[in-house]
C-alpha cells in the first residue's frame, strides 16, 4: 500500500549529501531563499567516488524543480562498490530548521523513478520506516552533520553501517566513520541547477 509523503518521521540520516558552488539562479539571491535552498544548491549535481581502487560509484542528485521551505531532490547511486553492484534511489528532503537544515533520505526500493515521475514522493510503509535523517549545521566552509545511530541508515543506504559524519564542502561530499576510520570522498563532476 502506498502513502503520500507529507511529513517524514524523524528517523535517520542520508548518506547522499553533496556540494557544488554557491551560484545564484534568477534574480533572487541564494541566501534570501534560506538554508535548505543553500544546501540544495550545494548538493545538486553528479559526483564520482575518489580513490577506492576498483570501485566506480556515481552519485546523481537532481532537483525536482520546487522551491520553498521544504525541498525535495532525487538521489541515485549507481556503479560498483566493494565488489558489489549498486543501484539505489531515494528522495532527499531538506527542511530549514532555524539556521540549520534537517536532511532526510527516504529510499525507493521498487521500480526506478525520475524527477518527472508522478509517484516520486509516494512511499510504502517500509520505505518510510527506513528513512535516514541528520541535522546539518553551517560552518565557514560548508555544512556538516552526523547520523543519529550506528545502524540508523543501513536500510536507506545499502552498507551504511556505523555512525557516519557528513561534510558538504564546495565540490566535495565527504563521509567518514570515526569507529572504523573509513572515509568516502565524492568529487563533483557536473552541476544541476536548483529551482529551475
Amino acid at each position: 500500500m502506498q502513502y503520500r509523503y507529507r511529513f517524514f518521521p524523524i528517523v535517520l540520516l542520508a548518506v547522499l549529501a553533496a556540494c557544488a558552488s554557491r551560484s545564484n539562479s534568477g534574480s533572487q539571491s541564494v541566501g534570501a531563499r534560506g538554508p535548505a535552498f543553500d544546501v540544495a544548491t550545494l548538493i545538486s549535481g553528479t559526483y564520482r567516488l575518489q580513490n577506492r581502487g576498483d570501485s566506480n560509484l556515481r552519485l546523481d542528485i537532481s532537483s525536482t524543480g520546487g522551491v520553498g521551505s521544504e525541498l525535495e531532490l532525487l538521489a541515485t547511486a549507481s556503479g560498483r562498490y566493494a565488489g558489489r553492484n549498486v543501484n539505489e534511489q531515494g528522495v532527499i528532503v531538506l527542511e530549514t530548521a532555524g539556521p540549520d537544515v534537517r536532511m532526510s533520505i527516504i529510499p525507493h526500493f521498487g521500480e526506478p523513478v525520475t524527477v518527472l515521475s508522478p509517484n516520486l514522493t509516494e512511499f510504502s510503509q517500509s520505505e518510510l520506516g527506513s528513512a535516514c535523517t541528520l541535522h546539518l549545521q553551517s560552518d565557514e566552509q560548508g555544512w556538516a552533520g552526523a547520523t543519529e545511530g550506528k545502524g540508523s541508515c543501513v536500510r536507506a543506504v545499502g552498507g551504511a553501517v556505523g555512525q557516519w559524519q557528513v561534510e558538504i564542502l564546495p565540490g566535495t561530499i565527504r563521509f567518514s566513520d570515526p569507529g572504523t576510520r573509513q572515509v568516502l570522498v565524492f568529487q563533483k563532476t557536473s552541476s544541476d541547477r536548483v529551482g529551475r
Side-chain angles (χ1 to χ4, degrees):
M1 183 172 191
Q2 297 287 324
Y3 295 87
R4 174 79 181 140
Y5 167 78
R6 293 233 186 249
F7 301 99
F8 55 89
I10 284 191
V11 197
L12 332 187
L13 141 51
V15 164
L16 302 164
C19 299
S21 61
R22 295 180 184 251
S23 61
N24 293 340
S25 63
S27 60
Q28 189 175 14
S29 73
V30 170
R33 296 188 185 193
F37 185 83
D38 292 347
V39 172
T41 299
L42 286 175
I43 66 172
S44 295
T46 300
Y47 298 81
R48 288 272 182 201
L49 181 63
Q50 300 297 302
N51 303 322
R52 295 301 292 190
D54 65 345
S55 295
N56 183 19
L57 194 58
R58 175 180 165 147
L59 178 61
D60 292 294
I61 301 175
S62 304
S63 170
T64 61
V67 176
S69 63
E70 190 175 276
L71 300 173
E72 297 167 348
L73 300 101
L74 176 64
T76 303
S78 59
R80 193 155 178 80
Y81 177 71
R84 73 177 181 95
N85 290 325
V86 175
N87 191 8
E88 299 179 5
Q89 284 192 309
V91 173
I92 296 175
V93 180
L94 301 170
E95 184 177 7
T96 297
D100 303 330
V101 173
R102 181 170 35 205
M103 170 190 269
S104 292
I105 288 191
I106 304 169
H108 269 298
F109 296 139
E111 292 295 316
V113 293
T114 70
V115 293
L116 300 176
S117 296
N119 60 342
L120 176 66
T121 57
E122 291 179 3
F123 301 96
S124 68
Q125 191 111 19
S126 176
E127 291 167 336
L128 288 172
S130 300
C132 177
T133 301
L134 90 139
H135 186 82
L136 296 173
Q137 295 181 316
S138 179
D139 62 25
E140 294 174 5
Q141 298 175 334
W143 295 82
T147 60
E148 295 178 2
K150 293 191 174 203
S152 62
C153 293
V154 71
R155 291 194 64 208
V157 181
V161 179
Q163 186 169 15
W164 290 85
Q165 294 178 344
V166 178
E167 294 175 87
I168 300 173
L169 304 168
T172 304
I173 312 165
R174 180 183 164 103
F175 301 100
S176 57
D177 180 350
T180 64
R181 297 186 184 195
Q182 182 177 9
V183 177
L184 301 176
V185 178
F186 286 86
Q187 192 69 42
K188 189 169 199 163
T189 60
S190 65
S191 297
D192 181 50
R193 295 183 67 188
V194 175
R196 52 192 163 139

